[in-house]
Amino acid sequence: MIRADLLVSNIGELATLARGSVPRTGESMRDLGLMHDATLAVAGGRFVFVGPKRRARSEVRLRTGGMHWDADGGVVVPGFVDAHTHLLFAGDRSAEVELKIEGSTYRDIAQRGGGLFSTVRATRRASSSELLRLAEARLHRMVQGGTTSVEVKSGYALNHAGELRLLSLIPRLARRTGMRLVPTYLGGHAVPPEFVGRSDAYVDLMIRQTLPVVARRRLAKFCDVFCEPGFFSARQSERLLRAAAGLGLGIKIHAEEFVLSGGARVAARLGARSADHLLAAQTGDRVALARAGVTAVLLPVTPFASMSRQRAPGRELVDAGVSVALGSDLSPNSWVESMSVVLSHAIYGGRLLPSEALTAATVNAAHASGLEDVAGQIAVGRSADFSIFDLPGVAHLGYRVGAFPTHISRQGNTISLR
Ligand code: ZN
């Protein structure tokens, strides 16, 4: 007999995402591993039973004092994995909405010292306890939207000590929130004001001074860089990422967000874990990513929040055979904390099918974050990360904009919002 701490019964539709190889590409992105009239059980923070109601009756017992959730015919999905965030920042950029409406672009605003640089100033000034308080509140709202794992980038300090400080806050946040956080070093988010006109010298500094410490102290799992004219060239990005890979870090790249910058080709050449954004990627880039097995992380809220005419090329990437994952790109520029809003933008803007969007937000996002063995799937033995939505079927996720779960479990820690 299986003893459970938590029993979830009466699940109308359970999307396990537990069939097939990882990451999913092409038609396999539509296979959600669905079960109907299912029950699941959790003990010690892990799934101990996932199966039909009838079998659960004879095989599972809730231990005394255990918790029972009635899903009431609703939907259960794996906890969302947000594969791309800039969670750690101080201040806000609400004043930029007006500038965007007047026609200023992200680059225009940044080049005038606003945008990203105003966030750098606010973040450098903020105390660690203030940064922790702000990020913790964001994570609480994210988990209430069904997100249980989050990739978190540094990148708003743009100096040695400041970037190390940001990375050192991430494990503290994970402990405080019970969420699974994946730290990424993004010292190459922009050329810092102190290095204007000397971007190569800043790349040297990252390679010689910061990256070795990040690797030695295991402060980050990945290194990322913003490859874009006015930020870092494809040549500089490749130099930085090669150094990071040489130190054992995984690599990611912000590629082709505004214009074709060559970042996708760098990702393909280096076998990066992911290439992110890709709004301006061309057919040849998509082919190169598919061949190299690089996951495309799409951030479909960003063009919306940037008032850009571009849209996330979800359909094109899936049709080209690229594995597609999703992230919020949570930042002061595109402040979105709910992955179900991201799903809606992936569907209506990126033209992913709802099933593809769910795959992209779970199993493929886990792969993009190096969490393929622990997150993004509901199966016996895996960490109990899941949410219950009061919806008649999984096809309603994303189709309805901004659906919120009624119950959430991250690593077996439960939240009931009903
Ligand atoms: Zn980003």
Side-chain angles (χ1 to χ4, degrees):
M1 187 66 71
I2 298 164
R3 295 272 162 198
D5 307 330
L6 168 66
L7 190 69
V8 183
S9 62
N10 210 4
I11 303 168
E13 205 163 59
L14 169 65
T16 64
L17 278 300
R19 270 203 299 255
S21 56
V22 179
R24 309 273 152 78
T25 56
E27 283 188 8
S28 73
M29 283 190 69
R30 300 179 197 173
D31 181 0
L32 300 178
L34 288 181
M35 292 174 72
H36 294 93
D37 298 318
T39 294
L40 61 80
V42 174
R46 292 179 181 278
F47 295 113
V48 289
F49 179 89
V50 181
K53 180 167 66 181
R54 244 177 297 125
R55 242 183 64 214
R57 276 202 208 109
S58 57
E59 293 182 21
V60 186
R61 282 286 169 276
L62 189 61
R63 68 163 176 76
T64 315
M67 201 185 315
H68 175 223
W69 284 348
D70 183 348
D72 208 12
V75 162
V76 169
V77 297
F80 295 132
V81 180
D82 188 338
H84 183 133
T85 79
H86 302 263
L87 175 80
L88 285 166
F89 63 87
D92 71 85
R93 306 217 299 258
S94 53
E96 286 173 18
V97 175
E98 199 174 323
L99 298 175
K100 291 179 195 173
I101 289 169
E102 288 165 3
S104 297
T105 65
Y106 179 87
R107 262 192 304 175
D108 296 337
I109 296 169
Q111 276 165 4
R112 277 185 254 147
L116 189 147
F117 295 106
S118 68
T119 303
V120 169
R121 287 191 293 274
T123 306
R124 284 178 177 179
R125 269 198 308 266
S127 67
S128 294
S129 60
E130 174 74 352
L131 288 167
L132 283 169
R133 188 182 65 75
L134 293 168
E136 190 177 352
R138 287 167 203 147
L139 287 169
H140 277 302
R141 291 187 293 267
M142 291 162 88
V143 76
Q144 288 182 3
T147 301
T148 53
S149 301
V150 182
E151 187 261 9
V152 180
K153 301 177 195 297
S154 67
Y156 287 121
L158 304 181
N159 54 35
H160 178 72
E163 289 291 312
L164 296 181
R165 175 175 76 130
L166 291 177
L167 290 173
S168 73
L169 300 179
I170 297 171
R172 293 170 68 184
L173 282 167
R175 280 195 297 276
R176 285 187 185 199
T177 60
M179 292 172 85
R180 190 175 286 106
L181 305 183
V182 176
T184 293
Y185 169 62
L186 181 61
H189 196 185
V191 179
E194 297 82 1
F195 283 83
V196 170
R198 299 187 296 129
S199 55
D200 275 323
Y202 182 59
V203 174
D204 287 339
L205 180 102
M206 287 190 283
I207 292 173
R208 292 199 194 124
Q209 194 183 9
T210 312
L211 267 178
V213 181
V214 169
R216 194 172 62 244
R217 294 197 207 152
R218 298 179 189 276
L219 289 171
K221 190 164 183 169
F222 294 100
C223 176
D224 192 352
V225 62
F226 205 103
C227 179
E228 196 79 29
F231 294 80
F232 298 94
S233 67
R235 188 184 54 77
Q236 290 170 323
S237 301
E238 182 161 347
R239 195 154 70 85
L240 177 70
L241 294 178
R242 277 191 190 281
L247 291 165
L249 290 165
I251 54 178
K252 292 172 163 287
I253 186 165
H254 282 64
E256 343 293 346
E257 177 172 355
F258 307 122
V259 298
L260 191 66
S261 54
R265 300 300 177 111
V266 171
R269 237 185 344 266
L270 301 189
R273 178 58 69 123
S274 73
D276 301 30
H277 285 292
L278 301 169
L279 298 176
Q282 306 291 300
T283 309
D285 299 311
R286 295 193 278 272
V287 171
L289 293 174
R291 277 203 192 124
V294 176
T295 293
V297 175
L298 295 186
L299 312 161
V301 176
T302 306
F304 169 73
S306 304
M307 296 183 202
S308 152
R309 275 196 211 97
Q310 292 169 308
R311 58 172 196 87
R315 186 77 267 127
E316 294 84 343
L317 284 158
V318 172
D319 291 347
V322 180
S323 68
V324 171
L326 288 172
S328 61
D329 203 19
L330 166 61
S331 82
N333 179 55
S334 52
W335 196 321
V336 54
E337 293 161 346
S338 155
M339 278 299 280
S340 86
V341 170
V342 175
L343 284 175
S344 296
H345 282 273
I347 293 165
Y348 295 119
R351 297 175 197 167
L352 291 183
L353 298 173
S355 54
E356 293 168 337
L358 183 57
T359 297
T362 53
V363 62
N364 279 7
H367 181 264
S369 310
L371 297 174
E372 60 276 15
D373 294 332
V374 286
Q377 300 181 40
I378 293 176
V380 169
R382 282 187 171 253
S383 180
D385 294 358
F386 67 93
S387 315
I388 305 175
F389 286 82
D390 180 18
L391 294 170
V394 265
H396 284 246
L397 262 180
Y399 155 61
R400 300 196 198 181
V401 180
F404 273 79
T406 56
H407 301 78
I408 306 110
S409 160
R410 71 261 194 250
Q411 303 181 52
N413 297 311
T414 55
I415 303 175
S416 171
L417 301 171
R418 187 173 267 167

